[in-house]
Amino acid sequence: DDDLQQEGNFMLRCLAEQGYIENYLGLRCNDTPPITLMPSAYARIDEIQRNTANGKNVLVAMSFNNTEKLREAIREGIQSAGYIAIFIDEVQHNELITPELLKHIKDSKFVVVDLTHQNNGAYFEEGYAMGLGKPVIQLCKRGVQLHFDIAQKNTIMWATEDDIPGLLQKRIAATIE
C-alpha cells in the first residue's frame, strides 16, 4: 500500500512539475487531495486526440502516376483492417501540399508506403513518419531494388496488386496496436 502511495505521489508530482495540475499537496492514505487541471493539460489532451485522429486514419505514401490498381489494392487492405486510407491527392484543402501532407502524416495512426516506383516523395514521407515515431509499413513489388537505408526493414514484397489486400491486412493486424 505504501508503494502504491509513493508511485501515485511520484506521478502527481511529475504532472505538477509539467504544469498539468495544480494544488497537488501529496497523497496520504484515504485522502483525496484537491487537484485542478490546468489549461496546458487540456491543450495536451486536445493535441493527443488530434494526432491520433480517433486512431483510424492512415496516410498512404506512393507514386500517383498510372497506379490506380495499386492504389485500390492498398485502400482495400487498409479498409479490411478497419482503418481509413488517406491519399493526399484525394484530400480537399486550400493550403500548400507539403504542410497539408505533413499534417496528415502527424494525424495518422500509422503510414503505409509503397516504394515500387522509388518515388522520392514517398521516401521523404516515410522518413518524416519515422521521425515522429509513427509505425510505417513498407510495400514494394518483387524485383525492385530498395534503397540501402530502408532495405533492411521488413517489407511486404508483392508479385501482383491482387496480393496486396490480404498481405497488408495481415501485417496491420499483426503489428498495429
Side-chain angles (χ1 to χ4, degrees):
D1 195 37
D2 191 50
D3 287 342
L4 286 176
Q5 185 174 333
Q6 286 180 356
E7 189 174 332
N9 278 325
F10 173 76
M11 287 188 274
L12 290 171
R13 191 169 50 254
C14 288
L15 290 170
E17 288 170 3
Q18 293 177 6
Y20 293 139
I21 63 173
E22 187 178 81
N23 298 334
Y24 163 67
L25 302 173
L27 287 178
R28 292 174 299 282
C29 285
N30 300 321
D31 191 14
T32 307
I35 296 175
T36 304
L37 279 179
M38 301 303 294
S40 59
Y42 289 107
R44 180 69 176 131
I45 291 166
D46 287 344
E47 179 185 1
I48 290 168
Q49 288 176 335
R50 263 193 324 277
N51 290 343
T52 60
N54 296 324
K56 295 297 178 189
N57 289 350
V58 178
L59 190 282
V60 179
M62 60 181 287
S63 172
F64 293 127
N65 295 327
N66 301 317
T67 56
E68 192 61 33
K69 188 171 182 183
L70 174 59
R71 172 194 301 247
E72 293 312 311
I74 293 171
R75 185 187 322 269
E76 183 182 335
I78 291 169
Q79 287 177 340
S80 68
Y83 293 91
I84 301 165
I86 305 295
F87 296 87
I88 197 65
D89 65 334
E90 296 174 353
V91 173
Q92 297 298 317
H93 62 90
N94 292 321
E95 303 301 323
L96 297 172
I97 190 69
T98 302
E100 188 70 16
L101 176 65
L102 299 180
K103 179 180 82 70
H104 281 281
I105 292 171
K106 187 176 177 187
D107 290 348
S108 291
K109 174 81 172 182
F110 59 98
V111 174
V112 172
V113 180
D114 183 81
L115 299 167
T116 301
H117 299 95
Q118 300 180 332
N119 179 280
N120 287 336
Y123 284 113
F124 170 77
E125 293 151 24
E126 177 171 3
Y128 183 74
M130 291 172 72
L132 292 175
K134 300 281 181 178
V136 176
I137 298 175
Q138 289 182 176
L139 302 165
C140 190
K141 187 170 186 174
R142 283 191 195 135
V144 173
Q145 182 70 37
L146 291 172
H147 188 277
F148 171 80
D149 291 336
I150 49 95
Q152 69 271 12
K153 186 170 164 82
N154 190 6
T155 302
I156 297 172
M157 302 302 288
W158 51 272
T160 70
E161 287 87 349
D162 294 336
D163 298 337
I164 294 171
L167 292 171
L168 184 53
Q169 188 276 331
K170 287 178 186 168
R171 177 67 60 89
I172 292 167
T175 61
I176 304 301
E177 307 259 344

